[in-house]
DNA sequence: GTTAATCCCGAGCGCATAAGTCGGATATTC
DNA sequence: GAATATCCGACTTATGCGCTCGGGATTAAC
């Protein structure tokens, strides 16, 4: 999984909308300013998210965008999958872009990549906007005991 | 993390060399044939791995490549990092390509991405060629109880 | 009903990168 | 010295990401 700018921007905008739930619509201009996103580019992104029914728009003066679902109903995994197309690190272990590989039966490391994909998928699918916003762990704690490792740095 | 073809090919070649440890040098032609890799392209890759001292070459007729280290001493993480440059899904949580992001303190989801990065890093760093070859789990079992999830498909 | 702020939509563009090609030099064995 | 390898640098080509742009439709405020 590799986050594109588009997905990054989409998530930023979404979280801003979550923060302002119940309030007035937020115009793209404002979403762009607060998250340092090129306005015209964000426009496209918002349109796609509207088609997905994650957000709804109000046209005209005083218009803007609102969240269209509850923050519990949108996961980071969905967002990444929608914009980037997949979560897996390579096609042969992907649910979305799977394509048979002639080497599959011989491949020594496919198994490891599959494990990686499963971890990520699990993590991202647990990560609803609500949970992430709350700052709560997004997956069962036993995973996260692994975090701090020797000299990893950041 | 997203595996490039280059990294994929590099790993395939490495595992082939592991299988043939102690035997005669394997020429690129053969490595390419067995793993369905464009020969000229693999040439480049092998040269890079030679510079890294993961493999050594024997020039001339009957020449080819040999593993230069024990399979316990090379991890998939190293290989991915070398060819693709990083393991992290986004620069702001990467050890290698870290760059400060002005939104860092406000960013709601950075934390999740950091968790993802840590999981992957851990997994890939545990994955020595030897272990993967053996087919043994590459990381502590508690991680892998998470694997099979509802309707995930592949 | 005019103005101003907004969303909506399609098109296009430039650059970086991945993935692969190629020509030919150099080394080694038989 | 022919055959088989590696070695090296340069080149190519396609794709996609990350934007930018022009202009139309919609609505609120005055």
């Amino acid at each position: 999984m590799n986050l594109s700018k588009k997905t990054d921007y989409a998530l930023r905008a979404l979280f801003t909308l979550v923060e302002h739930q119940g309030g007035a619509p937020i115009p793209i201009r404002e979403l762009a300013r607060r998250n340092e996103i090129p306005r015209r580019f964000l426009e496209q992104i918002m349109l796609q998210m509207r088609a997905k029914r994650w957000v709804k728009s109000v046209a005209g003066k005083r218009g803007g965008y609102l969240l269209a679902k509850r923050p519990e109903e949108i996961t980071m995994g969905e967002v990444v999958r929608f914009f980037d197309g997949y979560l897996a690190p390579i096609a042969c272990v992907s649910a979305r872009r799977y394509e048979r590989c002639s080497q599959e039966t011989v491949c020594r490391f496919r198994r490891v990549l599959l494990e990686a994909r499963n971890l990520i998928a699990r993590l991202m699918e647990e990560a609803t906007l609500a949970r992430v916003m709350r700052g709560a762990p997004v997956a069962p704690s036993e995973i996260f005991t692994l975090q701090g490792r020797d000299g990893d740095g950041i």
Side-chain angles (χ1 to χ4, degrees), chain A residues 28-60:
Chain A
I28 287 184
R29 177 182 259 79
E30 179 65 12
L31 289 171
R33 198 186 52 75
R34 303 215 336 197
N35 298 291
E36 299 179 36
I37 305 171
R39 197 186 110 245
R40 277 338 248 287
F41 193 32
L42 181 57
E43 257 182 34
Q44 293 182 8
I45 296 169
M46 296 311 291
L47 282 181
Q48 292 186 71
M49 295 210 280
R50 176 171 171 268
K52 258 283 177 180
R53 307 288 175 104
W54 289 332
V55 301
K56 59 190 167 196
S57 62
V58 179

Side-chain angles (χ1 to χ4, degrees), chain A residues 94-112:
Chain A
S94 172
R96 304 298 286 308
R97 58 166 175 170
Y98 175 74
E99 43 187 75
R100 190 168 194 82
C101 166
S102 60
Q103 299 280 311
E104 205 170 291
T105 52
V106 223
C107 185
R108 299 291 179 178
F109 52 95
R110 184 172 184 273
R111 204 171 149 280
V112 179

Side-chain angles (χ1 to χ4, degrees), chain A residues 12-23:
Chain A
R12 294 191 201 185
L14 280 175
F15 279 107
T16 303
L17 293 183
V18 171
E19 262 178 332
H20 280 248
Q21 254 187 121

Side-chain angles (χ1 to χ4, degrees), chain A residues 81-101:
Chain A
R81 279 218 170 96
F82 180 60
F83 286 108
D84 291 346
Y86 51 85
L87 290 174
I90 197 172
C92 68
V93 296
S94 172
R96 304 298 286 308
R97 58 166 175 170
Y98 175 74
E99 43 187 75
R100 190 168 194 82
C101 166

